[in-house]
Amino acid sequence: MQRVTQSPTDPALNQNPYPFYDRIRPLGLLVWWEDYNMPVAASQPAVSALLRDRRFGRENPTPPVIPDHQKPFYAIEAHSMLELEPPRHTRLRGLVLRAFTSRRIKALAPEIEALCHQLIDAFPDEPFDLLTGLAQQLPVIIIARLLGVPEDKAPDLLRWSNAMVRMYMAARTRADEEAAAQAAQDFSAYLAEYVKARRAAPADDLITQLIAAEEDGERLTTDELITTCILLLNAGHEATVHTLGNGVKTALQTGLRPDDSDLFAEEVLRFDPPLHMFTRYATDDMDAFGHHFKKGEQVGLLLGAANRDPEVYADPNRFDPARELVPHSSFGSGLHFCVGAPLARLELSIALKTLFDRCPDLALAEEPEYATSYHFHGLTRLMVTR
């Protein structure tokens, strides 16, 4: 196996990781990334196959000892369907999918469009940050409404979520870990009180549905209920914020506009996705792609690299909303395919169309910069003029 060295905290990588992917993709189906001390897959066929390979999972079969200062964070993660395998994953995912029906998601379209107009109406005349003006607010408000959490808690939800997701970044510090633990405690305490209130006064929302499922014998514990809500709030807005920001940036830099907003959104997801690495654990000793994995060893799936595989996508480094639709890896695949993908697609399509319909003269006010947050890929801010 070929070995490569590339610091994930290198600003150059975070600003533009695609040349690195182009360099390692021809080296083999698996390449050993020294800085992560594990093999990674960068081609679309290998990433797709690993996402579907049930010999690899999200649960670590040889879990490490958790330091005391991180325990509150991992107490939440212990009940997350994103980190679980069947049968617990099956039960939790099934309950969530009852609320994430295609009919219910499609019914949100007028509400999403109305909220976009409301946020655009509040844009100032001077240069402003589109991330805080639109991209951060839209998805967190929509997911809060879907769950039934009051919208006035959105600032707290954003703060808690931002702190917790830093645990997945290569550049995290001890301070980040402590902040994530505190956010997990605060988030959990709030939701515990809110679940108690919803039990007393049910409503037409996801939290009430999950409570009902718990009480109807689905054996969803209160801890699982709280963690599921946190996961949906975090995942339900974090990736969409980055995707919307990356998409508007790309549109402004290329001069292309969403004639077909659905196709445009799909190309944004392929071209510059918000999550660039997803990891799996070997569930047992095994051989895969010419490498012998020991039980508990990880493999990194480079989603951003797979999306630009020249063997699959013609001229992959060119943003082309009119290209032939070929499935991308931005939402994952297999057992852990993103349950919120239909909602994310709908939000992205409506937001892009509404934004450029309302602000046809939107332009960059300064050169955008990506955060040093690998394996996430999102902007620090997006300063624009209207």
Side-chain angles (χ1 to χ4, degrees), residues 80-102:
S80 171
M81 64 178 174
L82 183 63
E83 308 299 337
L84 297 174
E85 296 298 312
R88 289 187 67 196
H89 174 272
T90 306
R91 186 179 80 256
L92 290 172
R93 187 179 177 93
L95 290 168
V96 171
L97 286 175
R98 292 181 188 178
F100 276 81
T101 62
S102 58

Side-chain angles (χ1 to χ4, degrees), residues 320-343:
D320 180 11
R323 73 170 59 246
E324 179 184 356
L325 276 178
V326 177
H328 55 73
S329 299
S330 298
F331 290 119
S333 186
L335 187 69
H336 287 284
F337 181 80
C338 177
V339 296
L343 177 59

Side-chain angles (χ1 to χ4, degrees), residues 17-38:
Y18 300 105
F20 171 64
Y21 299 153
D22 290 342
R23 176 165 65 89
I24 68 172
R25 198 182 296 109
L27 299 181
L29 293 175
L30 291 178
V31 177
W32 191 271
W33 192 341
E34 296 278 11
D35 305 78
Y36 277 106
N37 195 33
M38 67 179 177

Side-chain angles (χ1 to χ4, degrees), residues 72-74 76-77 157-169 172 176-177 179-188 227 230-231 234 238 376:
F73 173 84
Y74 284 105
I76 297 296
E77 292 291 281
L157 301 179
L158 278 170
R159 179 169 51 83
W160 292 331
S161 177
N162 289 337
M164 291 183 71
V165 299
R166 288 202 63 82
M167 288 293 286
Y168 299 103
M169 298 179 187
R172 83 184 197 200
D176 291 330
E177 294 170 351
Q182 185 62 55
Q185 289 178 300
D186 294 342
F187 213 157
S188 179
T227 293
I230 290 176
L231 171 64
N234 288 355
E238 189 73 26
F376 294 106

